[in-house]
C-alpha cells in the first residue's frame, strides 16, 4: 500500500503526483496522501489525507523518483497515471450564470528568481474583457498570498484589482467570491467548483495553467519562457490532464488571436 507525500511545486503536484495517487486509488493500493495546506479538495478520493503547514519547495520536485516522470521530458509514462475527474466531481448548480463562464487565471510573481515574465498585463486584460464581456461571464482569478501556499516565488501586486473594480464591474473576482463563500468552502475548493462549470480558460505558465487544464474545453496558455517549450509539454502532459484543447500563446498578439478564433 502506497503512502504519497509531496511538498514540491504546484504544477508538478498536478501533472505528476495527483494522477499517480489517483491511479493507486483506482488500483486499491492507496494508503495515505500528505501535502500542503489547502490540498484536501484535490485529493477528494483519498480516505486518509493529511495537510501539513509546509512551504512548497522546488527542490522537492526531484528528490523522490518513486513518482513516475517528475521531471521535464519529451515523453511520459502513463502506466501508473490516471486522469483525476475534478470536473465531474466538482461540477455544481451553484456557480451558474446567464452566460457561459470564461475564466482568466493570472499570476504575478517572481519567476526563476527574477522579475515576473509570464502574466497577463492590464492592457491585455482590458482588450480581452472589452471583447468578450457581453458573450461570457468573465471570472478573474489571481490568488493572493494569503489564499494559497507559497514557494520561493514571491507574489507581487499587479494593481489590477482596483483597476478592474473601477473599469470592469461586470467581471467577477474570485477574491470577492471567496469573501462571500469562505464560511462554506476553502479557497481551493471554491476554485475547483467555479472551474468545473467552465469550458473556456485563459491561463499563464505554471501551476495556474496546469489547474486550468484539468477541466476540459479550451485552455489558452500564455507562456514565453520555460522548459515546457523545449520538451513540447503543452502538447503532451497538459492535454492529457482532461483531454482539454491546449493552445500555447507565446505573445500577447497570439493570445488575442487564439481568443478571437476559438472563443
Amino acid at each position: 500500500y502506497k503512502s504519497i507525500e509531496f511538498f514540491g511545486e504546484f504544477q508538478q503536484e498536478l501533472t505528476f503526483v495527483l494522477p499517480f495517487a489517483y491511479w493507486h486509488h483506482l488500483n486499491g493500493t492507496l494508503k495515505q496522501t500528505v501535502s500542503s495546506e489547502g490540498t484536501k479538495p484535490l485529493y477528494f478520493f483519498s480516505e486518509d489525507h493529511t495537510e501539513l503547514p509546509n512551504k512548497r519547495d522546488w527542490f522537492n520536485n526531484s528528490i523522490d523518483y518513486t513518482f513516475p516522470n517528475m521531471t521535464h521530458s519529451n515523453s511520459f509514462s502513463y502506466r501508473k497515471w490516471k486522469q483525476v475527474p475534478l470536473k465531474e466531481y466538482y461540477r455544481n448548480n451553484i456557480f451558474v450564470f446567464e452566460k457561459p463562464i470564461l475564466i482568466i487565471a493570472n499570476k504575478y510573481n517572481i519567476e526563476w528568481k527574477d522579475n515576473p515574465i509570464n502574466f497577463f498585463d492590464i492592457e491585455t486584460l482590458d482588450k480581452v474583457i472589452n471583447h468578450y464581456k457581453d458573450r461570457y461571464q468573465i471570472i478573474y482569478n489571481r490568488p493572493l498570498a494569503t489564499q494559497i501556499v507559497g514557494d520561493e516565488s514571491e507574489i507581487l501586486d499587479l494593481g489590477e484589482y482596483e483597476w478592474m473594480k473601477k473599469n470592469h464591474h461586470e467581471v467577477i473576482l474570485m477574491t470577492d467570491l471567496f469573501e462571500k463563500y469562505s464560511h462554506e468552502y476553502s479557497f481551493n475548493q471554491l476554485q475547483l467548483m467555479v472551474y468545473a462549470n467552465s469550458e473556456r480558460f485563459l491561463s499563464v505558465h505554471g501551476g495556474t495553467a496546469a489547474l486550468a487544464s484539468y477541466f476540459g474545453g479550451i485552455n489558452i496558455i500564455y507562456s514565453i519562457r520555460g522548459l515546457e517549450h523545449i520538451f513540447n509539454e503543452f502538447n503532451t502532459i497538459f492535454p492529457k490532464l482532461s483531454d482539454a484543447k491546449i493552445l500555447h500563446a507565446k505573445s500577447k498578439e497570439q493570445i488575442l488571436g487564439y481568443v478571437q478564433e476559438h472563443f
Side-chain angles (χ1 to χ4, degrees):
Y1 292 94
K2 186 69 174 178
S3 293
I4 296 175
E5 182 175 313
F6 185 74
F7 300 100
E9 290 182 309
F10 192 44
Q11 177 178 320
Q12 274 61 34
E13 183 160 26
L14 291 174
T15 51
F16 305 130
V17 180
L18 192 61
F20 179 56
Y22 191 62
W23 179 89
H24 273 286
H25 164 70
L26 296 178
N27 195 51
T29 51
L30 183 63
K31 179 180 179 181
Q32 180 189 34
T33 52
V34 182
S35 187
S36 304
E37 290 181 327
T39 53
K40 187 174 180 60
L42 294 170
Y43 294 88
F44 67 89
F45 52 86
S46 176
E47 295 183 1
D48 184 2
H49 181 72
T50 300
E51 296 181 354
L52 296 178
N54 292 32
K55 190 175 182 179
R56 292 185 179 275
D57 180 4
W58 70 268
F59 182 68
N60 277 276
N61 291 353
S62 57
I63 61 176
D64 188 352
Y65 279 90
T66 60
F67 298 116
N69 307 306
M70 282 310 294
T71 189
H72 295 285
S73 176
N74 285 314
S75 62
F76 298 100
S77 170
Y78 301 105
R79 190 171 65 87
K80 294 185 177 182
W81 190 104
K82 286 293 183 180
Q83 284 184 2
V84 185
L86 292 179
K87 189 178 187 73
E88 290 77 6
Y89 187 81
Y90 283 104
R91 187 184 285 121
N92 60 87
N93 295 321
I94 300 172
F95 300 106
V96 177
F97 305 91
E98 294 182 359
K99 295 175 285 188
I101 297 172
L102 166 58
I103 301 288
I104 301 179
N106 203 6
K107 70 175 183 179
Y108 189 65
N109 54 258
I110 298 298
E111 297 184 79
W112 300 290
K113 298 183 179 181
D114 206 344
N115 293 326
I117 299 171
N118 301 296
F119 68 94
F120 298 127
D121 59 20
I122 289 178
E123 180 183 2
T124 302
L125 292 172
D126 193 42
K127 290 179 180 178
V128 171
I129 293 169
N130 279 326
H131 277 87
Y132 293 95
K133 62 184 179 183
D134 294 331
R135 187 181 306 178
Y136 293 96
Q137 175 55 66
I138 298 174
I139 300 180
Y140 180 76
N141 186 27
R142 183 175 68 83
L144 304 177
T146 56
Q147 296 167 339
I148 58 174
V149 176
D151 53 22
E152 290 84 2
S153 303
E154 179 187 358
I155 295 176
L156 306 176
D157 184 10
L158 181 58
E160 84 282 28
Y161 281 114
E162 290 304 316
W163 167 82
M164 205 169 292
K165 288 181 179 180
K166 181 179 179 180
N167 296 280
H168 292 292
H169 57 85
E170 66 280 350
V171 174
I172 296 175
L173 304 179
M174 191 73 76
T175 52
D176 289 345
L177 283 180
F178 184 55
E179 184 176 340
K180 180 179 179 180
Y181 289 97
S182 58
H183 63 290
E184 296 182 59
Y185 312 118
S186 68
F187 186 77
N188 275 343
Q189 186 177 358
L190 177 68
Q191 286 190 112
L192 295 172
M193 292 177 70
V194 174
Y195 281 35
N197 285 0
S198 179
E199 295 286 330
R200 296 291 183 269
F201 300 86
L202 276 173
S203 63
V204 294
H205 181 102
T208 302
L211 182 62
S213 299
Y214 258 89
F215 298 91
I218 300 175
N219 182 21
I220 299 172
I221 300 175
Y222 179 48
S223 174
I224 60 175
R225 175 185 168 189
L227 291 174
E228 291 82 355
H229 299 209
I230 299 172
F231 294 104
N232 197 35
E233 292 174 14
F234 294 126
N235 289 317
T236 56
I237 189 75
F238 277 76
K240 191 75 173 177
L241 293 171
S242 69
D243 297 322
K245 182 179 182 64
I246 305 297
L247 300 169
H248 175 201
K250 300 178 183 179
S251 67
K252 296 172 185 177
E253 293 73 24
Q254 201 167 21
I255 294 169
L256 299 173
Y258 279 146
V259 169
Q260 291 173 5
E261 183 178 355
H262 297 278
F263 288 8

